[in-house]
Amino acid sequence: MSNKPTLKDIISANHRIKPYVTRTPLHRYLSLDRILNAHIYVKHENHQRLGAFKMRGGINLVSQLNEQERVSGVVAASSGNHGQSIAYAAGIFNTEATIVVPEQANPGKVESMENLGANVIFHGKVFDESHTYAESIAMDTNRRFIHSADEPHLISGVGTTTLEIIEDLPNVEVIIVPIGGGSGACGAGIAAKSINPDIKIIGVQSEHAKAAYLSWKHNKIMESPMETIAEGLATSTGYELTKSILRDILDDFILVTDQELDQAIVLNLEKTHNLTEHAGASPLAAALKIKDQLHGKKVALIMSGGNLSIPQLKIALKQNT
Protein backbone atom coordinates (compact mmCIF):
# COMPACT_ATOMS: atom_id res chain seq x y z
CA MET A 1 0.00 0.00 0.00
CA SER A 2 1.62 3.26 -1.12
CA ASN A 3 -1.23 5.76 -1.24
CA LYS A 4 -1.58 8.53 1.28
CA PRO A 5 -4.12 7.68 4.00
CA THR A 6 -7.43 9.50 4.18
CA LEU A 7 -9.86 10.37 6.96
CA LYS A 8 -11.85 7.29 5.93
CA ASP A 9 -8.76 5.13 6.56
CA ILE A 10 -8.31 6.70 10.01
CA ILE A 11 -11.96 6.11 10.91
CA SER A 12 -11.65 2.47 9.78
CA ALA A 13 -8.49 2.13 11.86
CA ASN A 14 -10.33 3.53 14.87
CA HIS A 15 -12.90 0.73 14.71
CA ARG A 16 -10.20 -1.86 14.08
CA ILE A 17 -7.94 -1.00 17.02
CA LYS A 18 -10.58 -0.01 19.57
CA PRO A 19 -10.60 -3.37 21.41
CA TYR A 20 -6.86 -3.18 22.04
CA VAL A 21 -6.02 0.43 22.93
CA THR A 22 -6.90 2.90 25.64
CA ARG A 23 -9.01 5.92 24.80
CA THR A 24 -6.63 8.31 26.49
CA PRO A 25 -7.75 11.43 28.37
CA LEU A 26 -7.45 15.02 27.17
CA HIS A 27 -6.87 17.10 30.30
CA ARG A 28 -6.72 20.86 30.65
CA TYR A 29 -4.05 22.25 32.97
CA LEU A 30 -4.69 25.72 34.39
CA SER A 31 -1.07 26.04 35.51
CA LEU A 32 0.04 25.65 31.90
CA ASP A 33 -2.70 28.08 30.86
CA ARG A 34 -1.11 30.74 33.03
CA ILE A 35 2.40 30.07 31.77
CA LEU A 36 1.40 30.14 28.10
CA ASN A 37 -1.54 32.59 28.22
CA ALA A 38 -3.62 30.06 26.31
CA HIS A 39 -6.08 27.23 26.94
CA ILE A 40 -3.75 24.24 27.18
CA TYR A 41 -4.94 20.65 26.89
CA VAL A 42 -2.69 17.59 27.02
CA LYS A 43 -3.53 14.39 25.15
CA HIS A 44 -2.12 11.67 27.39
CA GLU A 45 -0.85 8.97 25.05
CA ASN A 46 1.65 8.20 27.79
CA HIS A 47 -1.32 6.46 29.46
CA GLN A 48 -1.41 3.72 26.81
CA ARG A 49 -0.51 0.26 28.09
CA LEU A 50 2.89 0.53 26.39
CA GLY A 51 3.34 4.15 27.44
CA ALA A 52 3.20 5.55 23.89
CA PHE A 53 0.89 6.34 20.97
CA LYS A 54 2.73 4.06 18.51
CA MET A 55 0.75 0.96 19.48
CA ARG A 56 -2.25 2.38 17.60
CA GLY A 57 -0.36 2.14 14.33
CA GLY A 58 1.23 -1.21 15.03
CA ILE A 59 -2.10 -2.86 15.76
CA ASN A 60 -3.72 -1.33 12.69
CA LEU A 61 -0.95 -2.60 10.42
CA VAL A 62 -0.35 -6.08 11.83
CA SER A 63 -4.09 -6.78 11.96
CA GLN A 64 -4.14 -6.42 8.15
CA LEU A 65 -1.22 -8.71 7.27
CA ASN A 66 -2.09 -11.50 4.87
CA GLU A 67 -1.80 -15.14 5.93
CA GLN A 68 1.64 -15.65 4.40
CA GLU A 69 3.01 -12.55 6.13
CA ARG A 70 1.67 -13.71 9.49
CA VAL A 71 3.15 -17.18 9.07
CA SER A 72 6.55 -15.80 8.07
CA GLY A 73 6.72 -13.11 10.75
CA VAL A 74 7.70 -9.46 10.66
CA VAL A 75 10.89 -7.45 11.09
CA ALA A 76 11.25 -3.85 12.25
CA ALA A 77 13.91 -1.43 13.38
CA SER A 78 13.22 0.84 16.30
CA SER A 79 14.71 3.15 18.89
CA GLY A 80 11.94 1.96 21.21
CA ASN A 81 8.25 2.74 20.88
CA HIS A 82 7.75 1.51 17.30
CA GLY A 83 9.35 -1.78 18.30
CA GLN A 84 7.09 -2.11 21.30
CA SER A 85 4.03 -1.49 19.15
CA ILE A 86 4.99 -4.16 16.60
CA ALA A 87 5.89 -6.65 19.33
CA TYR A 88 2.55 -6.07 21.06
CA ALA A 89 0.54 -6.34 17.84
CA ALA A 90 2.42 -9.46 16.80
CA GLY A 91 1.40 -11.09 20.06
CA ILE A 92 -2.25 -10.21 19.50
CA PHE A 93 -2.34 -11.56 15.95
CA ASN A 94 -0.13 -14.61 16.41
CA THR A 95 2.92 -13.75 14.38
CA GLU A 96 6.61 -13.55 15.28
CA ALA A 97 8.39 -10.22 15.51
CA THR A 98 12.10 -9.49 15.23
CA ILE A 99 13.10 -5.99 16.30
CA VAL A 100 16.55 -4.52 15.59
CA VAL A 101 17.53 -1.77 18.03
CA PRO A 102 20.61 0.47 18.38
CA GLU A 103 23.28 -0.73 20.79
CA GLN A 104 22.44 2.03 23.28
CA ALA A 105 18.65 1.64 23.07
CA ASN A 106 16.49 2.61 26.05
CA PRO A 107 16.73 -0.41 28.41
CA GLY A 108 13.13 -0.13 29.57
CA LYS A 109 11.81 -0.16 26.01
CA VAL A 110 14.02 -3.12 25.12
CA GLU A 111 12.81 -5.05 28.16
CA SER A 112 9.22 -4.32 27.17
CA MET A 113 9.78 -5.66 23.64
CA GLU A 114 11.30 -8.84 25.04
CA ASN A 115 8.49 -9.24 27.58
CA LEU A 116 6.02 -8.93 24.71
CA GLY A 117 7.69 -11.87 22.97
CA ALA A 118 9.85 -10.15 20.35
CA ASN A 119 13.28 -11.35 19.31
CA VAL A 120 15.44 -8.26 19.95
CA ILE A 121 18.72 -7.83 18.08
CA PHE A 122 21.20 -5.08 18.95
CA HIS A 123 22.94 -3.65 15.92
CA GLY A 124 24.44 -0.25 15.11
CA LYS A 125 25.32 2.85 17.05
CA VAL A 126 22.33 4.80 15.71
CA PHE A 127 18.83 4.01 14.49
CA ASP A 128 19.62 4.21 10.78
CA GLU A 129 22.24 1.48 11.08
CA SER A 130 19.64 -0.68 12.84
CA HIS A 131 17.16 0.15 10.08
CA THR A 132 19.50 -0.97 7.29
CA TYR A 133 20.31 -4.21 9.10
CA ALA A 134 16.63 -4.96 9.74
CA GLU A 135 15.85 -4.48 6.05
CA SER A 136 18.58 -6.96 5.15
CA ILE A 137 17.22 -9.53 7.61
CA ALA A 138 13.73 -9.17 6.17
CA MET A 139 15.00 -9.57 2.61
CA ASP A 140 17.17 -12.58 3.43
CA THR A 141 14.40 -14.39 5.31
CA ASN A 142 11.46 -13.31 3.12
CA ARG A 143 9.67 -11.60 5.97
CA ARG A 144 7.58 -8.41 5.97
CA PHE A 145 9.68 -5.38 6.90
CA ILE A 146 7.65 -2.76 8.76
CA HIS A 147 9.05 0.73 8.25
CA SER A 148 8.84 3.05 11.25
CA ALA A 149 7.17 5.87 9.29
CA ASP A 150 6.49 5.20 5.58
CA GLU A 151 3.59 2.83 6.23
CA PRO A 152 0.08 4.09 5.44
CA HIS A 153 -1.49 1.72 7.97
CA LEU A 154 0.77 3.08 10.72
CA ILE A 155 -0.21 6.63 9.85
CA SER A 156 -3.92 5.76 9.83
CA GLY A 157 -3.60 4.04 13.19
CA VAL A 158 -1.84 6.87 15.00
CA GLY A 159 -4.23 9.36 13.38
CA THR A 160 -6.92 8.01 15.70
CA THR A 161 -5.27 10.01 18.51
CA THR A 162 -6.42 13.21 16.84
CA LEU A 163 -9.92 11.87 16.21
CA GLU A 164 -10.24 11.56 19.97
CA ILE A 165 -8.88 15.07 20.53
CA ILE A 166 -11.48 16.56 18.21
CA GLU A 167 -14.28 14.49 19.74
CA ASP A 168 -13.35 15.80 23.19
CA LEU A 169 -12.50 19.36 22.10
CA PRO A 170 -14.37 20.15 18.86
CA ASN A 171 -13.22 23.77 18.87
CA VAL A 172 -9.51 23.00 19.23
CA GLU A 173 -7.50 25.57 17.28
CA VAL A 174 -3.93 24.28 17.44
CA ILE A 175 -2.48 20.79 17.76
CA ILE A 176 1.26 20.42 18.47
CA VAL A 177 2.74 17.01 17.70
CA PRO A 178 6.24 15.49 17.89
CA ILE A 179 8.03 14.50 14.68
CA GLY A 180 10.67 11.82 14.31
CA GLY A 181 9.89 9.86 11.17
CA GLY A 182 6.63 11.78 10.92
CA SER A 183 3.85 9.19 11.11
CA GLY A 184 2.24 10.80 14.15
CA ALA A 185 2.18 14.28 12.66
CA CYS A 186 0.89 12.93 9.34
CA GLY A 187 -1.96 11.13 11.07
CA ALA A 188 -2.77 14.21 13.16
CA GLY A 189 -2.77 16.48 10.14
CA ILE A 190 -4.88 14.24 7.93
CA ALA A 191 -7.48 13.76 10.65
CA ALA A 192 -7.63 17.40 11.73
CA LYS A 193 -7.51 19.07 8.32
CA SER A 194 -10.14 16.70 6.90
CA ILE A 195 -12.55 17.59 9.69
CA ASN A 196 -11.69 21.29 10.05
CA PRO A 197 -9.07 22.85 7.73
CA ASP A 198 -8.75 25.81 10.11
CA ILE A 199 -7.06 23.70 12.81
CA LYS A 200 -3.36 24.54 12.87
CA ILE A 201 -0.96 21.58 12.96
CA ILE A 202 2.48 22.37 14.32
CA GLY A 203 5.27 19.82 14.28
CA VAL A 204 8.29 19.81 16.59
CA GLN A 205 11.66 18.12 16.31
CA SER A 206 15.02 18.38 18.04
CA GLU A 207 17.43 20.72 16.29
CA HIS A 208 20.06 18.07 17.01
CA ALA A 209 18.30 15.65 14.63
CA LYS A 210 16.43 17.79 12.11
CA ALA A 211 16.27 15.65 8.97
CA ALA A 212 12.46 15.68 8.84
CA TYR A 213 12.44 19.47 9.30
CA LEU A 214 14.94 20.00 6.49
CA SER A 215 13.07 17.58 4.21
CA TRP A 216 9.83 19.45 4.89
CA LYS A 217 11.40 22.87 4.40
CA HIS A 218 13.19 22.07 1.15
CA ASN A 219 10.59 19.62 -0.21
CA LYS A 220 13.16 16.93 -0.87
CA ILE A 221 14.68 14.15 1.20
CA MET A 222 17.46 15.60 3.34
CA GLU A 223 19.88 14.12 5.83
CA SER A 224 21.18 15.67 9.03
CA PRO A 225 23.45 14.50 11.88
CA MET A 226 21.51 12.61 14.55
CA GLU A 227 22.86 13.80 17.87
CA THR A 228 19.76 14.26 20.01
CA ILE A 229 19.05 12.62 23.36
CA ALA A 230 15.42 12.20 22.25
CA GLU A 231 15.26 8.71 20.73
CA GLY A 232 11.65 9.27 19.67
CA LEU A 233 12.74 12.21 17.51
CA ALA A 234 16.00 10.67 16.30
CA THR A 235 16.18 10.02 12.58
CA SER A 236 18.99 11.15 10.31
CA THR A 237 17.00 11.22 7.09
CA GLY A 238 13.55 12.26 5.94
CA TYR A 239 11.13 9.74 4.44
CA GLU A 240 9.29 10.11 1.17
CA LEU A 241 5.71 9.36 2.18
CA THR A 242 5.71 11.34 5.41
CA LYS A 243 7.60 14.24 3.81
CA SER A 244 4.98 14.55 1.08
CA ILE A 245 2.12 14.50 3.58
CA LEU A 246 3.80 16.95 5.97
CA ARG A 247 4.27 19.41 3.12
CA ASP A 248 0.48 19.43 2.66
CA ILE A 249 -0.70 19.56 6.25
CA LEU A 250 1.88 21.25 8.50
CA ASP A 251 1.27 24.91 9.29
CA ASP A 252 4.58 25.29 11.09
CA PHE A 253 7.58 23.22 12.14
CA ILE A 254 9.49 24.17 15.29
CA LEU A 255 12.98 23.08 16.29
CA VAL A 256 13.87 22.86 19.98
CA THR A 257 17.14 22.15 21.75
CA ASP A 258 17.77 19.08 23.87
CA GLN A 259 18.10 21.44 26.84
CA GLU A 260 14.61 22.78 26.12
CA LEU A 261 13.32 19.20 25.98
CA ASP A 262 14.81 18.47 29.41
CA GLN A 263 13.20 21.66 30.76
CA ALA A 264 9.83 20.56 29.35
CA ILE A 265 10.18 17.12 30.99
CA VAL A 266 10.61 18.76 34.39
CA LEU A 267 7.81 21.28 33.78
CA ASN A 268 5.43 18.49 32.74
CA LEU A 269 6.35 16.56 35.86
CA GLU A 270 5.71 19.59 38.04
CA LYS A 271 2.54 20.93 36.40
CA THR A 272 0.79 17.81 35.04
CA HIS A 273 2.33 15.20 37.38
CA ASN A 274 3.18 13.07 34.35
CA LEU A 275 6.51 11.56 33.40
CA THR A 276 7.27 12.12 29.72
CA GLU A 277 10.05 11.01 27.46
CA HIS A 278 11.78 13.69 25.41
CA ALA A 279 9.51 13.25 22.38
CA GLY A 280 6.45 13.41 24.61
CA ALA A 281 7.70 16.65 26.16
CA SER A 282 8.53 18.27 22.83
CA PRO A 283 5.07 19.81 22.21
CA LEU A 284 5.34 21.72 25.49
CA ALA A 285 8.89 22.79 24.59
CA ALA A 286 7.60 24.07 21.26
CA ALA A 287 4.64 25.84 22.86
CA LEU A 288 6.96 27.69 25.20
CA LYS A 289 9.05 28.75 22.21
CA ILE A 290 6.08 30.14 20.23
CA LYS A 291 4.09 31.37 23.21
CA ASP A 292 3.12 34.65 21.55
CA GLN A 293 1.51 32.83 18.61
CA LEU A 294 -0.69 30.77 20.93
CA HIS A 295 -2.11 33.64 23.00
CA GLY A 296 -5.76 32.96 23.88
CA LYS A 297 -6.04 29.87 21.67
CA LYS A 298 -7.26 26.38 22.50
CA VAL A 299 -4.15 24.25 22.14
CA ALA A 300 -3.76 20.46 22.34
CA LEU A 301 -0.30 19.09 23.11
CA ILE A 302 0.14 15.43 22.16
CA MET A 303 2.13 13.82 24.97
CA SER A 304 3.19 10.98 22.71
CA GLY A 305 4.96 8.82 25.27
CA GLY A 306 6.22 8.48 28.81
CA ASN A 307 9.00 5.92 28.48
CA LEU A 308 11.83 7.89 30.04
CA SER A 309 14.70 5.99 31.63
CA ILE A 310 15.81 6.72 35.19
CA PRO A 311 19.25 8.00 34.06
CA GLN A 312 17.53 10.36 31.59
CA LEU A 313 15.21 11.63 34.33
CA LYS A 314 18.13 12.22 36.68
CA ILE A 315 19.90 14.33 34.05
CA ALA A 316 16.78 16.41 33.38
CA LEU A 317 16.19 17.01 37.08
CA LYS A 318 19.82 17.83 37.79
CA GLN A 319 19.89 20.46 35.08
CA ASN A 320 16.49 22.03 35.80
CA THR A 321 15.91 22.00 39.57
Side-chain angles (χ1 to χ4, degrees), residues 106-305:
N106 182 310
K109 294 178 182 180
V110 171
E111 181 182 6
S112 175
M113 291 180 227
E114 292 174 334
N115 289 342
L116 291 165
N119 173 32
V120 178
I121 298 173
F122 290 87
H123 182 89
K125 296 184 182 302
V126 294
F127 167 75
D128 291 296
E129 293 176 4
S130 305
H131 178 104
T132 300
Y133 188 62
E135 282 187 309
S136 70
I137 291 175
M139 184 174 295
D140 292 344
T141 58
N142 196 30
R143 283 181 280 174
R144 169 73 152 86
F145 175 70
I146 301 177
H147 196 284
S148 60
D150 272 1
E151 296 275 5
H153 290 323
L154 289 185
I155 294 170
S156 298
V158 295
T160 60
T161 303
T162 298
L163 282 187
E164 294 177 5
I165 291 174
I166 295 172
E167 287 174 359
D168 290 344
L169 188 67
N171 57 351
V172 61
E173 296 172 90
V174 181
I175 298 174
I176 306 181
V177 57
I179 296 181
S183 61
C186 288
I190 292 167
K193 296 290 188 180
S194 299
I195 295 169
N196 179 2
D198 292 332
I199 298 173
K200 303 297 183 188
I201 303 296
I202 298 175
V204 54
Q205 188 169 50
S206 171
E207 69 174 31
H208 304 290
K210 56 185 178 182
Y213 168 81
L214 293 173
S215 300
W216 169 81
K217 183 176 182 180
H218 297 288
N219 197 23
K220 63 179 181 179
I221 298 302
M222 301 282 288
E223 296 183 358
S224 182
M226 186 171 60
E227 299 167 342
T228 181
I229 55 177
E231 64 256 19
L233 306 178
T235 54
S236 63
T237 184
Y239 301 121
E240 192 58 49
L241 176 60
T242 53
K243 183 268 295 179
S244 64
I245 295 172
L246 293 175
R247 285 286 296 183
D248 291 338
I249 55 89
L250 272 193
D251 293 284
D252 202 356
F253 201 144
I254 307 301
L255 295 177
V256 296
T257 67
D258 282 1
Q259 182 181 5
E260 288 168 333
L261 291 173
D262 274 337
Q263 291 169 349
I265 285 172
V266 175
L267 188 60
N268 268 317
L269 190 59
E270 179 183 4
K271 302 302 183 183
T272 77
H273 305 137
N274 278 260
L275 183 66
T276 59
E277 59 192 88
H278 291 93
S282 66
L284 178 57
L288 292 165
K289 201 156 193 170
I290 59 170
K291 176 179 175 180
D292 291 345
Q293 299 177 36
L294 304 177
H295 183 79
K297 297 185 182 298
K298 291 181 173 61
V299 181
L301 309 178
I302 297 182
M303 190 177 283
S304 57

Side-chain angles (χ1 to χ4, degrees), residues 41-53:
Y41 297 79
V42 176
K43 179 62 170 170
H44 283 288
E45 285 298 284
N46 58 308
H47 291 184
Q48 291 290 354
R49 175 183 172 184
L50 301 182
F53 79 110

